Amino acid sequence: MGRPRLYNSPEEKAQAARHYRKAYIERNRKKAQASDQEKCCQLHDKSINIDQKLFMIIGKSSYEFVKGLCCTLIECEDSEVWEVFQRIRAAFNTVEDLEEEASELENGVLMRVREVRIALQDIIAYVRIGPEALDEAYEKEEIYHQYSDSICY
């Protein structure tokens, strides 16, 4: 002889499933909340850490940082261009590393890091063409930090 049926209709089966899910949620609520809180705190701490690293590179304003780099490159002697270019590449590499760290956060930190990276990339492209190209683009306000609405002042 077989076991008697637990549920005689699909509605009874669905109701039992809802009851089981509610009971499971109640049993594990505190554990889930603690886990969510811990993840949130870790992401917040990571976000602050990335912000601090970015601040160490650019200072108070990404706009002023990029503007300063452009002015330094435009005003420096031909013999100094390579040295300034190497400093820009080092900053670019550091910002790229920060962008990779920030990619899992998907918040404002990631956007700030991306803006700085794009601005540095733009300067590097003009310098590779030649310092005169950077000077000309700067005068015409064609460099990313000059026309972007989203770069931080």
Side-chain angles (χ1 to χ4, degrees):
M1 180 170 158
R3 190 178 64 155
R5 291 185 137 213
L6 288 177
Y7 314 110
N8 294 321
S9 68
E11 292 83 23
E12 287 179 0
K13 192 173 185 178
Q15 185 179 6
R18 278 194 297 276
H19 176 72
Y20 176 76
R21 282 193 296 271
K22 282 183 182 180
Y24 178 84
I25 289 170
E26 288 302 318
R27 283 193 313 269
N28 294 296
R29 182 179 306 263
K30 287 183 182 178
K31 184 178 177 182
Q33 286 174 342
S35 175
D36 290 347
Q37 181 70 25
E38 184 179 321
K39 286 177 188 174
C40 183
C41 288
Q42 287 174 350
L43 289 177
H44 180 70
D45 292 346
K46 192 169 190 175
S47 175
I48 289 173
N49 188 24
I50 292 170
D51 249 350
Q52 289 172 343
K53 288 178 184 176
L54 187 63
F55 181 78
M56 288 173 57
I57 296 168
I58 66 171
K60 293 181 181 177
S61 164
S62 53
Y63 176 83
E64 291 299 323
F65 170 70
V66 175
K67 181 181 173 185
L69 288 175
C70 287
C71 292
T72 302
L73 273 167
I74 290 168
E75 295 167 2
C76 74
E77 299 294 322
D78 288 342
S79 59
E80 299 170 330
V81 170
W82 181 249
E83 183 181 319
V84 175
F85 181 71
Q86 290 302 327
R87 288 196 319 237
I88 292 171
R89 285 292 301 169
F92 177 77
N93 291 338
T94 306
V95 170
E96 265 190 332
D97 293 342
L98 286 177
E99 183 178 18
E100 192 174 310
E101 278 183 54
S103 65
E104 68 187 48
L105 299 176
E106 292 296 329
N107 62 14
V109 170
L110 178 60
M111 293 309 300
R112 286 191 295 279
V113 172
R114 277 196 178 140
E115 289 296 322
V116 174
R117 181 191 49 82
I118 292 168
L120 289 173
Q121 208 168 12
D122 200 32
I123 292 172
I124 289 170
Y126 279 111
V127 170
R128 285 188 173 160
I129 295 169
E132 300 81 24
L134 177 68
D135 190 16
E136 186 179 319
Y138 190 80
E139 286 177 12
K140 293 180 181 178
E141 295 188 357
E142 294 175 343
I143 297 175
Y144 182 77
H145 83 280
Q146 293 174 314
Y147 64 80
S148 174
D149 293 336
S150 57
I151 200 154
C152 304
Y153 287 90

